[in-house]
Amino acid sequence: MKTSFAVLLLVALLFSTSFLETTMATSSYCDQKCTARCWKAGLKKRCLKYCGICCGACKCVPSGTYGNKSECPCYRDKLNSKGNPKCP
């Protein structure tokens, strides 16, 4: 009985952490992170657009307004059709 309860508790914990990670990348999360990332950009609308796309796909945005892309490898490695970095 105790073993099945422990297994059930462990499964519930695993499901809740995966749900938490998914909800963290909601649009409000991405909006907040991308606003901080793009506030110094010359072309803010473009920066916010591509940052939002990358955040939605990668579920993370590097800190700061430039660089720090090693914090989020998916964000760093996304390329546009010309082979240039897609994410600001």
Side-chain angles (χ1 to χ4, degrees), residues 30-84:
C30 290
D31 289 346
Q32 182 182 13
K33 292 292 189 175
C34 289
T35 298
R37 181 98 178 146
C38 296
W39 78 276
K40 282 187 170 181
L43 300 170
K44 284 187 184 170
K45 282 187 177 183
R46 184 182 296 177
C47 181
L48 288 169
K49 175 185 175 183
Y50 288 107
C51 181
I53 291 169
C54 295
C55 178
C58 298
K59 299 175 180 40
C60 65
V61 176
S63 62
T65 57
Y66 184 79
N68 302 324
K69 289 187 177 182
S70 61
E71 295 174 359
C72 185
C74 171
Y75 192 97
R76 175 193 64 212
D77 297 338
K78 283 210 165 297
L79 301 175
N80 64 18
S81 60
K82 296 179 182 176
N84 296 323

Side-chain angles (χ1 to χ4, degrees), residues 4-7 10 13 28 31 57 65 73 78 81:
S4 62
F5 179 72
V7 169
L10 181 62
L13 182 64
S28 63
D31 289 346
T65 57
K78 283 210 165 297
S81 60

Side-chain angles (χ1 to χ4, degrees), residues 4-18:
S4 62
F5 179 72
V7 169
L8 181 63
L9 187 61
L10 181 62
V11 168
L13 182 64
L14 290 173
F15 279 124
S16 66
T17 56
S18 65

